[in-house]
Amino acid sequence: MHGIHRLAIPTPFAVGRVNCYLIEDDPLTLLDTGPNSGKSLDELEQALAATGPGYRIEDIERIVVSHQHIDHLGLLDILARRSGAEVCALDLLAPLIERFATEADSDDDLAVALMLAHGIPPDVVSALRSVSRAYRAWGASAKVDRRLTDGGTLPFRDRTWEVQHRPGHSPTDTVFWDAERSVLLGGDHLIGHISSNPLISRPVGGRSGDPDPERRPRALETYIASLGLTRELPADVVLPGHGEPVTEHAKLIDERFALHERRARKIGRLIAETPRSAYEIAQALWGNVAVTQAYLTLSEVLGHVDLLLTQGEVREVEEDGVVRFEPMGAGAAAA
Ligand SMILES: [Zn+2]
């Protein structure tokens, strides 16, 4: 459709295959690369060969990256070297790609500090840090040739993409809007079959968008604001980073708003029963998944607690280095 081919490439992650898109235009452009593995590279080569006149990696002239997650950029360096393609990424994303390993270390530092502060046992935290380090092999650093700006454009011979920064799922999420065709290349900003978990990540480029930069990043609030902007686009189709194309994006976004509101209410009820740490809330909601996927579920809980904090329904109390959430007014009665 519109000279856009979806190439679904395997990943070792729970999310399954990642969608890369080949744009048959001038320059021949690949959006996202798949993770850094031989199997992914093999399948990408086969998918390219089955497309159009039968492309090779050497034919790719431009590679665009949608965001900082390794299933989307792991093969970037290998593909760019083999093809000589120009690599394009949002200005905020470029340094994260170029300094991949050190940036990933800093991300892990934040994750460790947050997990300990919110009651996750130290042995679980150190096990997860090892897992994260092992997964890093599926990423790699690469040189970025062209830095894109939010609100700027990326021209082709037969089309133009508007570049739009839509942080939330990650701080660097970038979507590409083809207004003439009403097509949005959405990355992981909006996925049909799963809600895009807003993982808490370090603010990038000193631009967290938060009025209080000392506060932990409020990923879900950022994400909801970004979804609100995307909802207004008159898109016929959103081509996502995982799964099938999304046709009724406004309806899907409304469902996601309702889902987050419901989940916030549920967490509010748990806190009203008794003050709890984010880890205790995650255990009450998801049992053992709160241990095996501790950072994912922590991000999920904190995102929704942020909504309750903003609505003035709960407050944050720190005791012995662990944060607990209690209903507003709970402490006043005791004082
Ligand atoms: Zn992602």
Side-chain angles (χ1 to χ4, degrees):
M1 183 183 55
H2 305 302
I4 303 174
H5 303 274
R6 177 160 67 110
L7 316 177
I9 303 303
T11 80
F13 307 111
V15 69
R17 287 177 181 260
V18 59
N19 291 333
C20 306
Y21 292 94
L22 184 74
I23 320 301
E24 269 191 295
D25 200 328
D26 185 7
L28 185 70
T29 296
L30 183 70
L31 174 66
D32 288 344
T33 69
N36 184 11
S37 83
K39 182 174 166 58
S40 302
L41 182 59
D42 267 1
E43 290 215 18
L44 180 64
E45 287 191 292
Q46 289 163 20
L48 284 170
T51 302
Y55 291 110
R56 298 168 311 140
I57 283 168
E58 287 71 17
D59 297 325
I60 300 171
E61 295 168 307
R62 178 158 72 189
I63 305 174
V64 183
V65 183
S66 69
H67 69 295
Q68 69 204 67
H69 290 157
I70 56 181
D71 46 339
H72 296 262
L73 57 77
L75 281 174
L76 183 57
D77 187 52
I78 289 174
L79 299 182
R81 281 172 196 275
R82 276 183 53 183
S83 62
E86 178 188 44
V87 174
C88 307
L90 190 72
D91 49 7
L92 293 173
L93 172 56
L96 302 192
I97 297 174
E98 294 186 329
R99 298 192 303 257
F100 171 75
T102 45
E103 294 288 336
D105 263 336
S106 305
D107 283 337
D108 284 355
D109 290 343
L110 171 79
V112 164
L114 271 177
M115 287 192 280
L116 292 173
H118 290 281
I120 296 174
D123 57 326
V124 173
V125 173
S126 75
L128 283 171
R129 179 151 207 165
S130 305
V131 170
S132 172
R133 225 178 254 127
Y135 269 139
R136 215 171 290 163
W138 279 277
S141 59
K143 192 175 163 302
V144 175
D145 303 301
R146 195 201 301 201
R147 283 157 165 73
L148 309 174
T149 51
D150 180 27
T153 58
L154 188 62
F156 298 71
R157 183 191 60 216
D158 295 334
R159 75 192 74 206
T160 299
W161 283 356
E162 293 170 26
V163 178
Q164 302 184 350
H165 183 208
R166 290 278 189 273
H169 165 73
S170 87
T172 55
D173 290 350
T174 316
V175 301
F176 302 94
W177 172 233
D178 183 336
E180 193 188 332
R181 292 169 184 77
S182 301
V183 173
L184 184 72
L185 281 296
D188 287 0
H189 169 62
L190 185 65
I191 298 172
H193 64 294
I194 41 169
S195 170
S196 304
N197 304 293
L199 275 179
I200 299 175
S201 314
R202 289 173 310 128
V204 292
R207 278 166 41 190
S208 65
D210 196 305
D212 178 2
E214 294 298 304
R215 200 167 72 162
R216 74 181 143 71
R218 295 191 163 191
L220 182 59
E221 292 189 340
T222 302
Y223 182 51
I224 286 174
S226 289
L227 281 178
L229 294 174
T230 298
R231 195 188 181 289
E232 300 311 312
L233 287 177
D236 284 340
V237 65
V238 179
L239 302 177
H242 303 272
E244 298 297 315
V246 172
T247 45
E248 291 183 87
H249 74 294
K251 184 163 164 269
L252 180 63
I253 289 170
D254 286 342
E255 285 168 17
R256 294 287 152 76
F257 286 161
L259 167 87
H260 292 307
E261 188 55 35
R262 271 199 313 279
R263 189 157 283 172
R265 297 268 74 81
K266 192 169 179 182
I267 290 172
R269 285 194 296 276
L270 286 173
I271 294 169
E273 275 172 28
T274 180
R276 300 173 203 245
S277 69
Y279 182 57
E280 289 165 340
I281 294 169
Q283 282 182 309
L285 291 173
W286 299 298
N288 194 47
V289 180
V291 181
T292 56
Q293 301 269 28
Y295 195 61
L296 202 68
T297 51
L298 177 67
S299 289
E300 187 75 20
V301 168
L302 288 178
H304 292 89
V305 166
D306 288 340
L307 302 180
L308 299 169
L309 285 166
T310 297
Q311 291 163 13
E313 294 189 22
V314 303
R315 67 176 167 200
E316 202 168 312
V317 183
E318 193 186 319
E319 212 177 300
D320 301 327
V322 174
V323 174
R324 286 207 160 65
F325 300 99
E326 59 179 37
M328 208 58 160

